[in-house]
Short mmCIF file of all heavy atoms in Angstrom, two decimals:
data_model
loop_
_atom_site.label_atom_id
_atom_site.label_comp_id
_atom_site.label_asym_id
_atom_site.label_seq_id
_atom_site.Cartn_x
_atom_site.Cartn_y
_atom_site.Cartn_z
N CYS X 329 24.79 -124.75 -29.20
CA CYS X 329 25.09 -125.80 -30.17
C CYS X 329 25.77 -125.26 -31.42
O CYS X 329 26.32 -126.04 -32.21
CB CYS X 329 23.82 -126.53 -30.57
SG CYS X 329 23.10 -127.46 -29.22
N ASP X 330 25.75 -123.96 -31.60
CA ASP X 330 26.43 -123.39 -32.78
C ASP X 330 27.91 -123.78 -32.78
O ASP X 330 28.50 -124.01 -33.83
CB ASP X 330 26.29 -121.87 -32.80
CG ASP X 330 24.85 -121.46 -33.07
OD1 ASP X 330 24.05 -122.35 -33.44
OD2 ASP X 330 24.52 -120.27 -32.90
N TYR X 331 28.49 -123.82 -31.57
CA TYR X 331 29.90 -124.21 -31.50
C TYR X 331 30.08 -125.63 -31.99
O TYR X 331 31.06 -125.99 -32.60
CB TYR X 331 30.41 -124.09 -30.06
CG TYR X 331 30.44 -122.68 -29.56
CD1 TYR X 331 29.42 -122.19 -28.76
CD2 TYR X 331 31.48 -121.82 -29.92
CE1 TYR X 331 29.42 -120.89 -28.31
CE2 TYR X 331 31.49 -120.52 -29.46
CZ TYR X 331 30.46 -120.05 -28.66
OH TYR X 331 30.48 -118.77 -28.22
N PHE X 332 29.08 -126.45 -31.66
CA PHE X 332 29.14 -127.83 -32.11
C PHE X 332 29.03 -127.89 -33.63
O PHE X 332 29.80 -128.60 -34.29
CB PHE X 332 28.02 -128.63 -31.44
CG PHE X 332 27.95 -130.05 -31.90
CD1 PHE X 332 28.84 -130.99 -31.42
CD2 PHE X 332 27.03 -130.44 -32.86
CE1 PHE X 332 28.80 -132.29 -31.86
CE2 PHE X 332 26.99 -131.74 -33.32
CZ PHE X 332 27.87 -132.67 -32.82
N PHE X 333 28.08 -127.13 -34.17
CA PHE X 333 27.90 -127.15 -35.63
C PHE X 333 29.16 -126.67 -36.34
O PHE X 333 29.53 -127.17 -37.39
CB PHE X 333 26.70 -126.29 -36.03
CG PHE X 333 25.39 -126.85 -35.53
CD1 PHE X 333 24.47 -126.04 -34.90
CD2 PHE X 333 25.10 -128.20 -35.67
CE1 PHE X 333 23.28 -126.56 -34.41
CE2 PHE X 333 23.92 -128.73 -35.19
CZ PHE X 333 23.01 -127.91 -34.56
N GLU X 334 29.78 -125.68 -35.73
CA GLU X 334 31.02 -125.15 -36.30
C GLU X 334 32.07 -126.27 -36.39
O GLU X 334 32.70 -126.47 -37.42
CB GLU X 334 31.53 -124.05 -35.36
CG GLU X 334 32.36 -122.97 -36.02
CD GLU X 334 32.64 -121.91 -34.98
OE1 GLU X 334 31.74 -121.08 -34.68
OE2 GLU X 334 33.76 -121.93 -34.43
N ALA X 335 32.20 -127.00 -35.28
CA ALA X 335 33.18 -128.09 -35.27
C ALA X 335 32.79 -129.17 -36.26
O ALA X 335 33.64 -129.77 -36.91
CB ALA X 335 33.27 -128.69 -33.86
N GLN X 336 31.49 -129.38 -36.38
CA GLN X 336 31.00 -130.40 -37.28
C GLN X 336 31.35 -130.04 -38.72
O GLN X 336 31.76 -130.89 -39.51
CB GLN X 336 29.49 -130.51 -37.12
CG GLN X 336 28.90 -131.77 -37.72
CD GLN X 336 27.38 -131.79 -37.56
OE1 GLN X 336 26.76 -130.77 -37.28
NE2 GLN X 336 26.81 -132.95 -37.72
N GLU X 337 31.17 -128.76 -39.02
CA GLU X 337 31.48 -128.30 -40.36
C GLU X 337 32.97 -128.51 -40.67
O GLU X 337 33.35 -128.97 -41.73
CB GLU X 337 31.15 -126.82 -40.47
CG GLU X 337 30.65 -126.39 -41.82
CD GLU X 337 29.91 -125.08 -41.68
OE1 GLU X 337 28.77 -125.07 -41.16
OE2 GLU X 337 30.50 -124.06 -42.03
N LYS X 338 33.78 -128.17 -39.68
CA LYS X 338 35.22 -128.28 -39.86
C LYS X 338 35.64 -129.74 -40.06
O LYS X 338 36.60 -130.04 -40.75
CB LYS X 338 35.93 -127.71 -38.62
CG LYS X 338 37.03 -126.71 -38.99
CD LYS X 338 37.75 -126.23 -37.74
CE LYS X 338 37.01 -125.07 -37.08
NZ LYS X 338 37.55 -124.76 -35.74
N ALA X 339 34.90 -130.63 -39.41
CA ALA X 339 35.32 -132.04 -39.40
C ALA X 339 35.04 -132.75 -40.72
O ALA X 339 35.54 -133.84 -40.94
CB ALA X 339 34.63 -132.77 -38.27
N ALA X 340 34.24 -132.14 -41.58
CA ALA X 340 33.92 -132.74 -42.87
C ALA X 340 33.10 -134.02 -42.72
O ALA X 340 31.99 -134.12 -43.20
CB ALA X 340 35.17 -133.00 -43.71
N ASP X 341 33.63 -134.98 -42.00
CA ASP X 341 32.94 -136.24 -41.84
C ASP X 341 32.29 -136.28 -40.45
O ASP X 341 32.91 -135.87 -39.47
CB ASP X 341 33.99 -137.37 -41.96
CG ASP X 341 33.32 -138.71 -42.19
OD1 ASP X 341 32.08 -138.76 -42.05
OD2 ASP X 341 34.04 -139.67 -42.51
N VAL X 342 31.05 -136.75 -40.36
CA VAL X 342 30.37 -136.72 -39.06
C VAL X 342 31.12 -137.49 -37.98
O VAL X 342 31.06 -137.13 -36.81
CB VAL X 342 28.93 -137.29 -39.14
CG1 VAL X 342 27.98 -136.27 -39.71
CG2 VAL X 342 28.89 -138.58 -39.91
N GLU X 343 31.82 -138.53 -38.42
CA GLU X 343 32.51 -139.33 -37.41
C GLU X 343 33.73 -138.61 -36.83
O GLU X 343 34.28 -139.03 -35.82
CB GLU X 343 32.97 -140.66 -38.04
CG GLU X 343 31.93 -141.73 -37.89
CD GLU X 343 31.80 -142.59 -39.11
OE1 GLU X 343 32.81 -142.79 -39.81
OE2 GLU X 343 30.68 -143.04 -39.39
N ASN X 344 34.14 -137.54 -37.48
CA ASN X 344 35.36 -136.88 -37.05
C ASN X 344 35.14 -135.68 -36.14
O ASN X 344 36.07 -134.95 -35.85
CB ASN X 344 36.17 -136.44 -38.27
CG ASN X 344 36.80 -137.62 -38.97
OD1 ASN X 344 36.93 -138.69 -38.38
ND2 ASN X 344 37.17 -137.45 -40.21
N VAL X 345 33.91 -135.48 -35.69
CA VAL X 345 33.67 -134.35 -34.79
C VAL X 345 34.31 -134.66 -33.44
O VAL X 345 34.02 -135.70 -32.85
CB VAL X 345 32.15 -134.11 -34.59
CG1 VAL X 345 31.93 -132.89 -33.72
CG2 VAL X 345 31.47 -133.95 -35.93
N PRO X 346 35.18 -133.78 -32.97
CA PRO X 346 35.84 -134.08 -31.68
C PRO X 346 34.83 -134.19 -30.55
O PRO X 346 33.88 -133.41 -30.50
CB PRO X 346 36.79 -132.89 -31.47
CG PRO X 346 36.35 -131.85 -32.44
CD PRO X 346 35.63 -132.53 -33.54
N PRO X 347 35.01 -135.16 -29.66
CA PRO X 347 34.03 -135.40 -28.61
C PRO X 347 34.01 -134.35 -27.50
O PRO X 347 33.05 -134.27 -26.77
CB PRO X 347 34.43 -136.76 -28.03
CG PRO X 347 35.82 -136.99 -28.47
CD PRO X 347 36.06 -136.20 -29.70
N VAL X 348 35.08 -133.59 -27.38
CA VAL X 348 35.09 -132.54 -26.35
C VAL X 348 35.36 -131.21 -27.03
O VAL X 348 36.38 -131.05 -27.69
CB VAL X 348 36.16 -132.80 -25.27
CG1 VAL X 348 36.05 -131.78 -24.15
CG2 VAL X 348 36.04 -134.21 -24.70
N ILE X 349 34.45 -130.28 -26.87
CA ILE X 349 34.60 -128.97 -27.51
C ILE X 349 34.47 -127.92 -26.42
O ILE X 349 33.57 -127.99 -25.58
CB ILE X 349 33.48 -128.75 -28.56
CG1 ILE X 349 33.55 -129.81 -29.65
CG2 ILE X 349 33.57 -127.36 -29.16
CD1 ILE X 349 32.33 -129.82 -30.55
N SER X 350 35.36 -126.95 -26.42
CA SER X 350 35.22 -125.91 -25.40
C SER X 350 34.60 -124.69 -26.04
O SER X 350 34.90 -124.34 -27.17
CB SER X 350 36.57 -125.58 -24.78
OG SER X 350 37.34 -124.85 -25.69
N THR X 351 33.73 -124.05 -25.30
CA THR X 351 33.11 -122.81 -25.73
C THR X 351 33.39 -121.80 -24.62
O THR X 351 33.85 -122.19 -23.55
CB THR X 351 31.59 -122.98 -25.92
OG1 THR X 351 30.96 -122.90 -24.64
CG2 THR X 351 31.24 -124.30 -26.58
N PRO X 352 33.12 -120.53 -24.86
CA PRO X 352 33.49 -119.55 -23.83
C PRO X 352 32.91 -119.84 -22.44
O PRO X 352 33.55 -119.57 -21.44
CB PRO X 352 32.94 -118.24 -24.38
CG PRO X 352 32.90 -118.45 -25.86
CD PRO X 352 32.62 -119.90 -26.08
N HIS X 353 31.70 -120.38 -22.37
CA HIS X 353 31.13 -120.57 -21.04
C HIS X 353 30.85 -122.03 -20.68
O HIS X 353 30.55 -122.34 -19.54
CB HIS X 353 29.83 -119.78 -20.91
CG HIS X 353 30.04 -118.31 -21.11
ND1 HIS X 353 30.70 -117.51 -20.21
CD2 HIS X 353 29.73 -117.51 -22.15
CE1 HIS X 353 30.76 -116.28 -20.67
NE2 HIS X 353 30.19 -116.25 -21.85
N HIS X 354 30.92 -122.89 -21.65
CA HIS X 354 30.58 -124.28 -21.39
C HIS X 354 31.55 -125.21 -22.09
O HIS X 354 32.31 -124.78 -22.95
CB HIS X 354 29.17 -124.60 -21.93
CG HIS X 354 28.10 -123.72 -21.35
ND1 HIS X 354 27.69 -122.57 -21.96
CD2 HIS X 354 27.38 -123.85 -20.22
CE1 HIS X 354 26.74 -122.01 -21.22
NE2 HIS X 354 26.54 -122.76 -20.16
N TYR X 355 31.44 -126.46 -21.74
CA TYR X 355 32.08 -127.51 -22.53
C TYR X 355 30.99 -128.36 -23.14
O TYR X 355 29.94 -128.58 -22.50
CB TYR X 355 32.99 -128.37 -21.65
CG TYR X 355 34.26 -127.65 -21.38
CD1 TYR X 355 34.35 -126.73 -20.34
CD2 TYR X 355 35.36 -127.81 -22.22
CE1 TYR X 355 35.50 -126.01 -20.14
CE2 TYR X 355 36.51 -127.10 -22.01
CZ TYR X 355 36.57 -126.19 -20.97
OH TYR X 355 37.71 -125.49 -20.79
N LEU X 356 31.20 -128.78 -24.35
CA LEU X 356 30.26 -129.66 -25.01
C LEU X 356 30.92 -131.02 -25.13
O LEU X 356 31.98 -131.14 -25.73
CB LEU X 356 29.90 -129.13 -26.40
CG LEU X 356 29.32 -127.72 -26.46
CD1 LEU X 356 29.03 -127.31 -27.88
CD2 LEU X 356 28.06 -127.63 -25.61
N ILE X 357 30.33 -132.00 -24.53
CA ILE X 357 30.84 -133.37 -24.65
C ILE X 357 29.79 -134.17 -25.40
O ILE X 357 28.61 -134.16 -25.02
CB ILE X 357 31.13 -133.98 -23.27
CG1 ILE X 357 32.20 -133.15 -22.56
CG2 ILE X 357 31.58 -135.44 -23.41
CD1 ILE X 357 32.64 -133.69 -21.23
#
Side-chain angles (χ1 to χ4, degrees):
Chain X
C329 293
D330 291 349
Y331 294 99
F332 177 78
F333 294 133
E334 208 174 283
Q336 195 181 17
E337 214 160 286
K338 230 183 276 169
D341 196 350
V342 281
E343 270 140 32
N344 288 341
V345 183
V348 186
I349 299 169
S350 73
T351 80
H353 300 289
H354 302 93
Y355 283 84
L356 303 179
I357 298 184

